[in-house]
Amino acid sequence: MQTLQDLTRDAVSTLLLSPGEQEVDRVMTICNACRYCEGFCAVFPAMARLLEFNKADIHYLANVCHNCGACLHSCQYAAPHEFAVNVPQAMAAVRPQTYGEFAWPKALGQLYQRAGLTMALATAGGLAMFLVLVLIVNQGSWLHAPLAGNFYAIFPHNLLAAMFGLVFLYVIVALGIGVRSFWRMLSPPAVSHVVMGAASLDATGNVLTLKYLDGGHGKGCNDDDDRFTQRRRVFHHFTFYGFVCCFIATSLGTIYHYFLNDPAPYPFFSLPVLFGTVGGIGLLIGPAGLLWLNLVRHPDHAVVGQQPMDRGFIALLILVSATGLVLLACRDTGVMGLLLAIHLGAVMGFFLTMPYGKFAHGVFRSAALLKSALDRRMDGLTVARNA
């Protein structure tokens, strides 16, 4: 009797490939005959397990790829060779298709194509403008007497908790349903809880260390030329751990408020403010560096149609962190309400675009890396049994 994984794989194998998917199929077929880049990253060992590439395989490989560029700069079949193999660019062209096809609700999948710089800033700006108008209506002016950092004197705590709680819940549900559908299409092998636990640890380690931005030899990526550099890895780490620190700051504030009966504002050297400050600085340095690398990136690595989505996401991160740090510095002044409205608008804009912008790539990539870790574990068990 066929398993669910077999039935899913059979159904996926009948689906027609888009032009972008056909290009991945073409370059992977050439790479599978060459295999010079086998040790570079997880893409090539995963490719070597396959004889042909259906739609699920192509989207799996595209999301394992970190677009580090090392394989392109080492490829003997890259342009000007007539094969014109360009793995990073072919994979980059397919990834937005993954995000769009698995978006929830499906009708909003097209937003991936429109979640560019203009839309991101317009969303944040529109929400900030709305909150400034609310401030003016409630206070009679956008100026007020210094409030010693008491944000809740401007916007009540319960109102903020309800607004951001609902949006955050929607983001979790939308991303969760999307990645669940993606995971089902990948048809991962049925494994024991022990194997799944070990593979999850492997994948988590690869995600947290950005292992596959080391170029396969520990020297890093090729950004704008043939030189290896760790810049992308460093700026990604600033961004990721800056986001984690901000999340911890928010969580600590929630614990203080609801469980320790200690509502904001908190002094500068309290844990919520310290984590928020460190996170804000990380979210300023990391995205600014990634934006610079995006602007100077080698043109053969990039897909022009994806750049607005990348830059819109980066711009929102910079806006959130910059407005948050300015708000912290000016929280005991008469413009706190205005700065708070602008910061909250930026944060809300960031949340609303999370399921339909660049943020989603981290979720889909983590799922793809888990399947890669599972496949490696199963290969190891098979070899051990046959030994």
Side-chain angles (χ1 to χ4, degrees):
M1 179 180 291
Q2 284 186 302
T3 64
L4 177 61
Q5 287 77 17
D6 294 333
L7 290 170
T8 303
R9 175 163 286 277
D10 288 346
V12 169
S13 66
T14 64
L15 298 176
L16 295 177
L17 302 184
S18 68
E21 293 163 345
Q22 290 174 13
E23 177 61 9
V24 173
D25 181 24
R26 185 186 76 85
V27 299
M28 285 290 96
T29 301
I30 296 171
C31 292
N32 222 349
C34 172
R35 298 195 179 185
Y36 176 80
C37 300
E38 202 163 41
F40 277 34
C41 68
V43 168
F44 298 98
M47 170 203 73
R49 296 186 188 97
L50 304 166
L51 296 177
E52 55 186 17
F53 306 95
N54 65 30
K55 193 178 187 72
D57 300 326
I58 289 167
H59 284 262
Y60 162 51
L61 295 173
N63 282 280
V64 171
C65 172
H66 284 57
N67 199 8
C68 82
C71 59
L72 174 65
H73 289 262
S74 302
C75 182
Q76 60 184 320
Y77 299 118
H81 191 281
E82 60 180 327
F83 288 174
V85 169
N86 187 335
V87 174
Q89 195 172 63
M91 298 294 190
V94 167
R95 280 193 292 274
Q97 191 179 329
T98 304
Y99 312 151
E101 289 189 4
F102 292 98
W104 185 87
K106 190 75 175 176
L108 297 183
Q110 290 301 314
L111 285 178
Y112 280 105
Q113 307 300 324
R114 301 168 189 161
L117 181 61
T118 304
M119 179 183 171
L121 295 181
T123 302
L127 290 167
M129 184 66 71
F130 171 74
L131 291 174
V132 169
L133 290 174
V134 172
L135 168 70
I136 293 173
V137 169
N138 289 341
Q139 305 279 329
S141 169
W142 53 271
L143 288 173
H144 51 76
L147 297 169
N150 184 9
F151 299 158
Y152 303 142
I154 303 294
F155 298 109
H157 172 270
N158 289 340
L159 173 65
L160 294 179
M163 285 171 54
F164 285 91
L166 285 173
V167 172
F168 189 68
L169 180 63
Y170 175 77
V171 168
I172 296 296
V173 171
L175 286 173
I177 292 176
V179 79
R180 182 167 173 263
S181 301
F182 177 63
W183 184 250
R184 283 182 170 176
M185 189 185 79
L186 296 184
S187 302
V191 298
S192 67
H193 294 303
V194 174
V195 174
M196 177 59 83
S200 298
L201 287 176
D202 292 343
T204 301
N206 292 336
V207 170
L208 294 180
T209 61
L210 289 172
K211 172 179 169 56
Y212 297 115
L213 284 181
D214 71 354
H217 36 58
K219 297 179 181 177
C221 303
N222 300 98
D223 290 330
D224 49 351
D225 53 33
D226 288 338
R227 290 176 300 135
F228 297 111
T229 168
Q230 299 281 2
R231 295 178 301 194
R232 285 188 69 215
R233 199 177 190 181
V234 170
F235 289 133
H236 269 93
H237 275 149
F238 268 110
T239 304
F240 177 76
Y241 289 106
F243 185 85
V244 169
C245 284
C246 289
F247 181 78
I248 291 173
T250 304
S251 301
L252 285 172
T254 303
I255 292 171
Y256 279 30
H257 185 95
Y258 287 106
F259 298 100
L260 302 180
N261 195 27
D262 183 11
Y266 305 113
F268 181 78
F269 289 103
S270 64
L271 286 177
V273 177
L274 285 175
F275 270 104
T277 303
V278 171
I281 293 171
L283 278 179
L284 206 55
I285 296 173
L290 291 176
L291 179 59
W292 167 56
L293 293 179
N294 185 286
L295 293 172
V296 302
R297 196 80 199 272
H298 195 293
D300 287 345
H301 298 176
V303 174
V304 174
Q306 189 183 340
Q307 287 178 337
M309 182 172 71
D310 294 348
R311 293 172 186 174
F313 177 66
I314 292 171
L316 268 183
L317 287 176
I318 293 174
L319 188 61
V320 168
S321 54
T323 56
L325 291 172
V326 173
L327 174 62
L328 176 64
C330 302
R331 65 177 181 171
D332 194 21
T333 69
V335 295
M336 182 194 75
L338 177 66
L339 295 173
L340 178 62
I342 294 172
H343 178 61
L344 292 178
V347 175
M348 184 67 82
F350 173 72
F351 276 151
L352 286 173
T353 56
M354 280 171 76
Y356 311 107
K358 186 68 177 180
F359 182 88
H361 93 287
V363 181
F364 286 101
R365 177 160 292 155
S366 298
L369 288 174
L370 176 57
K371 175 175 165 53
S372 171
L374 278 172
D375 287 342
R376 287 200 307 273
R377 288 274 169 183
M378 295 307 293
D379 288 348
L381 290 174
T382 302
V383 170
R385 284 193 206 100
N386 296 333

